[in-house]
Amino acid sequence: MSIQLTHQYLDLGQAFSRPVLPESFPEPKLLLWNTDLADELAISVTASERAQVFSGQLLASGSRPVAMAYSGHQFGQFNPQLGDGRAHLLGEHESANGQLVDIHLKGSGRTPFSRNGDGKCGIRPAVREYLMSEAMHALGVPTCRTLAVVSTGETVFREQPVPGAVVTRTAESHIRVGTFEHFAARNQPAELSTLVDFCISRHDFDTPESGPEKYLRFFSQVIDKQIKLLINWMRVGFIHGVMNTDNCLISGHTIDYGPCAMLGVYDPQTVYSSIDHQGRYAFGNQPAITHWNLARLAECLLPLIADDQDQAVHLIMPYIEGFSDRYNQAYRQMMAHKLGFNTADEEVSSCADELLKLMHANQMDYTHTMTALLDPDKDKSLSALNAWLSSWQQLLHKWNINKEHSVQQMKANNPLVIPRNHHVERILKQVEENGDLNELKTFLKVLKSPYQTSKHISQYQDLPTDQDQNYQTYCGT
């Protein structure tokens, strides 16, 4: 077995985590193994050991499993005591390029943070996490990735009995805004300072060694990472569904694929999550919620920036207030690239805004419409855009943009295939009900190259017949 783990997070101190072993399972069986990721991370585990190691039954050398402590704002309401209720951080592994990566089990049993939960995971949400995280990675969206899915051989009881499974998630770290909130709520500035130092070291933040500027620069770089993540979500039409502060990683990577979905018909108010009754986490609200989450992080950092709270607020407010301009500039640039432009001036941004208004008014599919623009004469679904198409093409001509360059720009930013909700649910149902992984593996091959035409791609590009009108997603706990 070529996997050697360290326990740096455990070493931060008792306040940060609770030592706890994964539960025993009757018959662990490997369902999915991510060969590409294993090679990238230089993880070599024999076929016979994989089910045991990645269900927590056999610990790798150096592993000292813990459940991580954190708090969080859930749908705007603060919960001071969350933590890993069904997950175990096995330790950190050094990848082939020297980067430390968390090896983290999900669905591996009860922990001190489980409250009334059983700490388990059903096979459907486990496979969903594998499928969606790999799709997002291929789309170029920063994300945690899944190394393995192991069935446990036991039944998990949710709305109905379902097979149990354990997911092995890898991440640059699992530090959340909610981790900072945990210590801020308990008035523990020493632990907050330790957490900042850990993040700076782990994620290569460029900050001074001390003083207020250290924390301001740290915060500014967290903003950059969140904007990059958010822009990519908006680019491909991803709806997270549960943007609580405990699901907001400092590293700027996507985490928690329970209630997530992909946008079909363009509507900024689209919500698929069954628990988001007020539309707080709708597609078009994601920028405002990211801003809100960052403001919660800023509040945690105040005692580190200055002893006087008013002075600390004065120093950090320009960063909070500057978020919208930073995001809007990045968003305009992203939309310009989707439409074949190199940069975004007012005319280009107005052109993009008008397209989105027309798509909304005419109930047009977000992904399909963008890819149809590559050859607009061939697609009848664009008939409602005739006047806009003329002005768009005139603007490209005005910018003197080479057609081939424009097409390549659009191809690089508009996926030909996404994990459409109706295909995801149909395939997950096959896995849950009869253990059939064949179509899942075909789907994963297609999703691996979302910007290129490939074998079988056409069977996953069709639009849902009901436009996802009654579609709902669930948290999977």
Side-chain angles (χ1 to χ4, degrees), residues 70-75 82-83 174-179 181 242-249 255-256 293:
Y70 52 85
S71 303
H73 276 87
Q74 300 183 307
F75 291 88
L82 294 174
H174 285 81
I175 310 299
R176 314 149 191 265
V177 170
T179 315
E181 290 183 297
V242 61
M243 292 175 65
N244 298 329
T245 56
D246 53 294
N247 290 328
C248 181
L249 293 184
I255 189 173
D256 193 342
N293 288 346

Side-chain angles (χ1 to χ4, degrees), residues 408-474:
Q408 292 305 312
Q409 181 86 281
M410 294 172 69
K411 284 184 175 180
N413 287 279
N414 296 303
L416 298 175
V417 64
I418 57 173
R420 288 195 176 273
N421 305 324
H422 61 299
H423 289 302
V424 169
E425 297 302 333
R426 176 175 53 80
I427 291 170
L428 293 181
K429 184 177 180 181
Q430 292 174 3
V431 174
E432 183 179 68
E433 293 185 352
N434 55 39
D436 183 3
L437 299 175
N438 290 323
E439 190 176 357
L440 170 66
K441 292 180 178 179
T442 299
F443 195 27
L444 284 166
K445 286 181 182 178
V446 171
L447 294 173
K448 190 175 182 179
S449 303
Y451 299 98
Q452 301 172 5
T453 300
S454 60
K455 187 178 180 182
H456 302 301
I457 191 174
S458 60
Q459 72 188 73
Y460 299 111
Q461 290 176 302
D462 62 301
L463 310 185
T465 55
D466 65 350
Q467 297 185 326
D468 282 335
Q469 288 183 355
N470 300 310
Y471 181 61
Q472 282 196 319
T473 56
Y474 303 88

Side-chain angles (χ1 to χ4, degrees), residues 102-324:
D102 282 359
I103 307 296
H104 193 259
L105 300 184
K106 184 177 178 181
S108 42
R110 288 181 57 81
T111 78
F113 301 112
S114 294
R115 299 179 297 282
N116 296 321
D118 61 9
K120 307 296 177 61
C121 180
I123 195 170
R124 191 167 182 149
V127 174
R128 181 186 182 89
E129 179 140 346
Y130 187 105
L131 190 160
M132 291 301 300
S133 61
E134 283 306 286
M136 291 282 275
H137 174 70
L139 286 165
V141 182
T143 181
C144 300
R145 295 182 69 186
T146 303
L147 178 63
V149 176
V150 176
S151 63
T152 61
E154 70 175 14
T155 299
V156 174
F157 294 92
R158 296 295 181 258
E159 290 80 8
Q160 58 187 10
V162 296
V166 176
V167 180
T168 301
R169 183 166 58 199
T170 67
E172 288 188 8
S173 86
H174 285 81
I175 310 299
R176 314 149 191 265
V177 170
T179 315
F180 283 83
E181 290 183 297
H182 185 79
F183 298 110
R186 289 159 177 77
N187 191 27
Q188 295 178 299
E191 283 76 8
L192 282 169
S193 179
T194 296
L195 198 57
V196 170
D197 289 342
F198 181 84
C199 291
I200 289 171
S201 173
R202 188 70 176 268
H203 301 301
D204 295 325
F205 285 103
D206 181 17
T207 66
E209 291 186 7
S210 61
E213 190 64 23
K214 171 183 177 179
Y215 303 104
L216 296 172
R217 289 268 294 275
F218 166 73
F219 183 60
S220 180
Q221 289 169 64
V222 172
I223 293 175
D224 288 339
K225 289 178 181 292
Q226 296 301 320
I227 288 176
K228 179 181 177 181
L229 174 64
L230 179 57
I231 288 299
N232 277 288
W233 284 1
M234 305 304 282
R235 178 177 63 83
V236 302
F238 177 75
I239 308 170
H240 187 279
V242 61
M243 292 175 65
N244 298 329
T245 56
D246 53 294
N247 290 328
C248 181
L249 293 184
I250 297 299
S251 65
H253 287 74
T254 313
I255 189 173
D256 193 342
Y257 285 98
C260 77
M262 301 301 295
L263 182 68
V265 170
Y266 180 77
D267 182 351
Q269 296 308 308
T270 299
V271 175
Y272 293 124
S273 171
S274 63
I275 57 176
D276 190 359
H277 304 297
Q278 304 300 319
R280 178 180 173 87
Y281 299 139
F283 176 71
N285 289 353
Q286 292 181 137
I289 294 298
T290 298
H291 191 187
W292 193 91
N293 288 346
L294 286 166
R296 305 290 76 74
L297 175 62
E299 291 169 350
C300 298
L301 298 176
L302 293 179
L304 303 180
I305 294 169
D307 292 334
D308 181 83
Q309 181 169 310
D310 289 341
Q311 182 184 0
V313 169
H314 175 74
L315 290 171
I316 206 166
M317 276 303 293
Y319 296 91
I320 299 172
E321 292 173 342
F323 170 86
S324 294

